[in-house]
Amino acid sequence: MNRKSSKKKQKTNDNKMLSWKETWQINKMALLLIHRSQSGLIATSLMPCVWSALTPYVGIWLLALIIDELSGSRRPQRLLTLVLATLISSALISLADALLKKRKAVEEECRFYYLRKITADKMMDMDFCIVDNPDTDRKLAQILQNQSGGGWGLIRAFRLMEELLTAILTLFGGIAMTITLFTSRVPDNAGTLTILNNPLFLALIIAVMLAVTYIAPLLSNKADSYYAFNSNIHTLANRLFGHYGFMGKRKEFAADMRIYRQDKLCEKYNNDKSGAFCSQGYFAKLARGPMGLYSGASGAVSVMFTGVAYLFAGLKAWAGAFGVGMMTQYVSSIVRLAGGLSSFIGTLGQTRINATFVKMLLDFLETPNVMYQGSLTVEKRNDRQYEIEFQDVSFRYPGNDQYALRHVNMKFTVGRRLAVVGMNGSGKTTFIKLLCRLYDPTEGRILLNGIDIRKYSYREYLSIFSVVFQDFTLTDLPLGQNVAAAMNYDGSLAASCLQKSGFGDRLDRLPDGLETYLSKRLNKNGMDMSGGEKQKIALARALYRDTPFIILDEPTAALDPLAEAEIYSNFNAIIKDKTAIYISHRLSSCKFCDDILVFDSGAIVQQGSHDVLVEDTAGKYHELWQAQAQYYNSQPNPQGSPAR
Ligand code: ADP
């Protein structure tokens, strides 16, 4: 890619360089965030910075004294004292340095997890509808990619702060050690070299040094900015790499990879030399072009500083302004000073670039919730008399033109069994998501005991539902903790819920009973469960919660017919006086329900009992029933045919 088009690419990027004021504010907020997430970290990290910035000057100073003594009076006693002081001080400095750094390393070990937790906590805090929005996922992925790919973000802000402090202290130490280089005078008999005493000459030397020190990091930051401000390109490249590069390693892909030779799909990506990070890719071209050029120029300019400093100190020593010991001190200190100055300017530049990435995180963390948070408490009724009503509810997913639900009207009371049936995509799961207030209706309202559910405290409202979603999640933790969704649980209740959900026999055969881990990832004695077994555990978890409403989205899809028959025959006993809502494809599973809602294209097209609905030969239910009956009639079903 030529320079013109790379410039164009930079312009098309979303990221913008922030002002210094914004940079300062964002970094301040970043440090506060880090402090809140891990309070001891800042202090523990800064101590080694202060130590390692200032202590090297002790060695430089002592070495200068030794060299001066060697080239001057050569007093054995003084030399011995100086050598001993050098040895003891460097031993003590190294000891303290190691202690401080070790302490810092231990704190930092947890830093990654604490900082990762910041985004995880935010996700938990967000309204479900925001989490479910693909935009949220994109933003979070970009933040995490910037962090793991380019190393930009909160951790970098922290590291840059450490570097800035080290640079400032190095700078002060260097100035203190070299001030006499500029103030000491060459003797008047030094001929033309007395020009070194001329304030104008001094000003010129200092100006050259400052210019060189300023330009070097400027060039290096310019090189860095090519990478930083093309983060959208390397984020995509990283994602592709993450997707293809690691597919072979993932256990859950292993079977499909073999059967469908998905490695061939990846080959195309892996062999593509023009990928963002490959030898013919965008960044490689930048590195061979402007990025490399700026980086090289920066290196060349920075050695000029050392050259000028050596020349100046050498000429002054030659002219007799100071001895060889001081020459050593000046040269060593000035190299450190130059390093400090260059690091200071470079770090400032990097801090400004990094602020753009920290801002992305801060913006993400400030994403406001949009759902109205009511304050009414949900009446805890012993008689469990709850009534739910949908009043002309319509719903569109954010960013979608199409309605997923259209004019839904229905009412049901607790204690009844309600089935929700319909083709795929007809709106069944969306109906449940609205009922659980994971989304609010676009139009219309949902009432609980006559009150709009938005007026209830959200947490309270959620607490009356247990849901087994189709794509439920279990953790790798022990079975009992999974059932109770808590670390501490009532073992006999957990076991009885597992019994009811049909997991009893399996539980009896588990080596560690309720303490069995649900995979080998956390414990080598863990057991991998089949899809059907997992579904039974999820069902037991819903029962353990003992809420007035229990909602099962395709509760038996992964169960074998015998297990399904067992669960259904016991269902009334299992759920007792709870209201149960089933979403099911198998209409035979719904026969025992008091009421059946038939969804079609986002609307309730029929409602009634099985016996009534099946008689309506023009209705959707009859159509679905017939379609399944044909299947069951031609293939004997251990559960019995649903056809009448
Ligand atoms: P069902 O449960 O009956 O299979 P859903 O309620 O899942 O149907 O889906 C109803 C409609 O809403 C479908 O057209 C589906 O594509 C759409 N839909 C479901 N979830 C989302 C989502 N998170 N974002 C956008 N559209 C969605």
Side-chain angles (χ1 to χ4, degrees):
M1 189 164 302
N2 61 32
R3 200 171 298 181
K4 240 184 185 172
S5 57
S6 74
K7 246 187 185 168
K8 201 171 147 206
K9 270 248 187 272
Q10 275 204 315
K11 274 188 189 157
T12 57
N13 207 302
D14 289 346
N15 298 336
K16 297 271 178 314
M17 190 77 108
L18 299 171
S19 70
W20 283 111
K21 193 174 163 202
E22 286 169 311
T23 301
W24 164 244
Q25 277 165 348
I26 282 171
N27 278 285
K28 208 169 73 181
M29 282 157 77
L31 291 184
L32 266 173
L33 198 61
I34 293 170
H35 176 66
R36 264 187 248 127
S37 76
Q38 200 182 353
S39 57
L41 183 66
I42 293 187
T44 345
S45 296
L46 294 190
M47 271 191 285
C49 295
V50 177
W51 194 251
S52 57
L54 294 181
T55 48
Y57 291 113
V58 176
I60 293 175
W61 174 65
L62 285 168
L63 185 65
L65 291 181
I66 292 173
I67 293 175
D68 266 348
E69 193 61 33
L70 281 172
S71 59
S73 331
R74 299 166 66 97
R75 288 163 291 179
Q77 191 54 42
R78 171 134 174 96
L79 271 171
L80 185 66
T81 314
L82 285 173
V83 169
L84 277 178
T86 307
L87 287 177
I88 293 169
S89 63
S90 62
L92 289 178
I93 286 169
S94 301
L95 183 76
D97 192 51
L99 284 174
L100 290 172
K101 283 194 175 138
K102 194 80 226 158
R103 206 174 136 203
K104 177 184 168 191
V106 172
E107 283 280 342
E108 279 187 349
E109 196 69 359
C110 326
R111 182 173 65 182
F112 177 79
Y113 299 100
Y114 277 112
L115 298 185
R116 198 66 197 246
K117 195 169 170 291
I118 293 176
T119 41
D121 285 347
K122 177 63 190 175
M123 289 294 277
M124 273 303 288
D125 199 44
M126 276 179 177
D127 286 342
F128 178 83
C129 55
I130 300 177
V131 174
D132 204 25
N133 188 333
D135 242 17
T136 309
D137 188 44
R138 234 188 331 270
K139 281 182 194 160
L140 181 62
Q142 173 108 42
I143 290 166
L144 298 178
Q145 293 281 353
N146 289 336
Q147 202 167 288
S148 55
W152 300 102
L154 205 55
I155 294 184
R156 180 76 151 255
F158 185 73
R159 241 193 42 226
L160 288 171
M161 179 203 62
E162 290 178 328
E163 283 171 22
L164 210 57
L165 181 75
T166 311
I168 291 171
L169 292 173
T170 307
L171 214 59
F172 281 130
I175 290 171
M177 297 289 278
T178 51
I179 202 121
T180 50
L181 166 66
F182 298 94
T183 55
S184 63
R185 293 179 63 82
V186 300
D188 291 337
N189 60 1
T192 49
L193 286 178
T194 50
I195 191 178
L196 296 172
N197 292 334
N198 188 325
L200 277 178
F201 186 81
L202 275 182
L204 183 71
I205 288 281
I206 292 172
V208 170
M209 283 176 160
L210 285 178
V212 166
T213 317
Y214 181 72
I215 291 169
L218 216 64
L219 292 168
S220 142
N221 281 346
K222 177 79 188 153
D224 272 358
S225 68
Y226 277 92
Y227 193 74
F229 288 99
N230 284 295
S231 66
N232 50 0
I233 297 174
H234 58 75
T235 297
L236 178 65
N238 265 327
R239 277 184 148 191
L240 287 171
F241 180 72
H243 188 63
Y244 293 117
F246 297 118
M247 264 174 93
K249 276 173 55 179
R250 305 251 307 259
K251 192 174 134 189
E252 57 269 38
F253 291 159
D256 277 350
M257 285 286 274
R258 279 158 183 75
I259 289 174
Y260 297 106
R261 290 308 307 264
Q262 286 175 325
D263 52 322
K264 296 276 177 216
L265 275 175
C266 306
E267 229 166 53
K268 181 182 166 307
Y269 171 81
N270 291 334
N271 294 339
D272 179 11
K273 296 277 179 290
S274 61
F277 293 127
C278 301
S279 54
Q280 299 303 319
Y282 182 58
F283 288 109
K285 285 179 184 164
L286 276 182
R288 286 195 290 269
M291 198 156 74
L293 214 63
Y294 280 115
S295 212
S298 161
V301 169
S302 61
V303 291
M304 276 171 62
F305 178 94
T306 323
V308 174
Y310 267 66
L311 189 68
F312 181 61
L315 284 176
K316 273 196 135 175
W318 177 259
F322 40 74
V324 64
M326 286 311 282
M327 167 77 190
T328 323
Q329 173 177 320
Y330 291 141
V331 166
S332 312
S333 303
I334 217 147
V335 169
R336 284 194 63 77
L337 187 140
L341 198 57
S342 161
S343 159
F344 177 69
I345 296 166
T347 310
L348 272 186
Q350 296 241 329
T351 306
R352 193 171 172 197
I353 295 174
N354 189 52
T356 309
F357 297 94
V358 178
K359 185 171 183 301
M360 286 167 78
L361 173 70
L362 295 178
D363 287 349
F364 180 79
L365 294 179
E366 277 166 18
T367 311
N369 277 336
V370 290
M371 288 173 93
Y372 178 77
Q373 299 294 323
S375 57
L376 289 185
T377 50
V378 176
E379 201 185 345
K380 293 276 180 317
R381 303 179 64 128
N382 289 335
D383 59 3
R384 296 199 166 197
Q385 280 308 304
Y386 295 98
E387 186 188 74
I388 293 271
E389 184 176 1
F390 276 57
Q391 282 186 345
D392 201 24
V393 169
S394 297
F395 178 72
R396 263 181 317 186
Y397 281 96
N400 269 23
D401 296 338
Q402 301 284 323
Y403 276 89
L405 286 185
R406 205 72 176 131
H407 301 300
V408 171
N409 284 291
M410 55 85 59
K411 193 190 258 195
F412 62 94
T413 45
V414 84
R416 293 174 66 83
R417 279 90 178 95
L418 179 76
V420 180
V421 303
M423 314 264 281
N424 274 341
S426 59
K428 304 183 296 293
T429 302
T430 307
F431 169 75
I432 298 300
K433 283 184 182 167
L434 291 187
L435 176 61
C436 297
R437 225 194 143 201
L438 295 178
Y439 282 100
D440 279 337
T442 314
E443 291 151 30
R445 55 189 200 144
I446 304 168
L447 309 177
L448 170 69
N449 292 346
I451 295 172
D452 191 324
I453 59 172
R454 283 174 279 216
K455 295 190 176 157
Y456 291 107
S457 144
Y458 185 54
R459 282 194 186 277
E460 282 245 356
Y461 180 72
L462 270 191
S463 72
I464 62 170
F465 295 101
S466 293
V467 191
V468 182
F469 286 110
Q470 240 170 342
D471 48 357
F472 61 87
T473 323
L474 298 175
T475 69
D476 292 335
L477 290 166
L479 173 62
Q481 292 185 10
N482 267 287
V483 172
M487 301 289 281
N488 301 313
Y489 58 91
D490 176 343
S492 54
L493 179 60
S496 117
C497 292
L498 284 164
Q499 195 76 40
K500 286 178 190 160
S501 71
F503 194 82
D505 290 346
R506 185 79 176 94
L507 176 62
D508 293 341
R509 283 184 282 117
L510 286 179
D512 299 320
L514 290 170
E515 290 303 307
T516 309
Y517 280 75
L518 293 190
S519 89
K520 296 193 189 306
R521 248 173 293 207
L522 298 183
N523 186 301
K524 68 176 169 37
N525 296 326
M527 303 290 280
D528 287 316
M529 298 290 162
S530 71
E533 286 166 342
K534 283 184 185 162
Q535 205 153 26
K536 289 175 186 172
I537 298 170
L539 201 56
R541 179 173 63 181
L543 295 174
Y544 186 98
R545 218 161 110 92
D546 192 26
T547 52
F549 288 87
I550 182 161
I551 301 171
L552 310 172
D553 190 349
E554 289 288 338
T556 53
L559 299 183
D560 58 74
L562 288 178
E564 179 178 323
E566 184 192 331
I567 288 184
Y568 279 115
S569 61
N570 292 331
F571 230 105
N572 275 334
I574 292 176
I575 58 172
K576 292 193 273 189
D577 58 347
K578 298 183 204 317
T579 300
I581 303 175
Y582 305 93
I583 300 183
S584 188
H585 277 106
R586 295 182 214 186
L587 300 196
S588 60
S589 312
C590 307
K591 273 173 77 175
F592 74 102
C593 289
D594 307 310
D595 216 1
I596 299 171
L597 294 179
V598 186
F599 273 82
D600 190 26
S601 308
I604 296 178
V605 289
Q606 282 181 291
Q607 179 170 5
S609 69
H610 168 78
D611 292 337
V612 173
L613 291 177
V614 84
E615 292 303 332
D616 180 1
T617 51
K620 188 79 189 169
Y621 188 84
H622 183 83
E623 183 193 321
L624 293 169
W625 181 259
Q626 281 307 114
Q628 293 193 1
Q630 274 171 22
Y631 170 76
Y632 284 119
N633 282 338
S634 59
Q635 295 186 23
N637 182 343
Q639 219 190 308
S641 164
R644 265 177 35 159

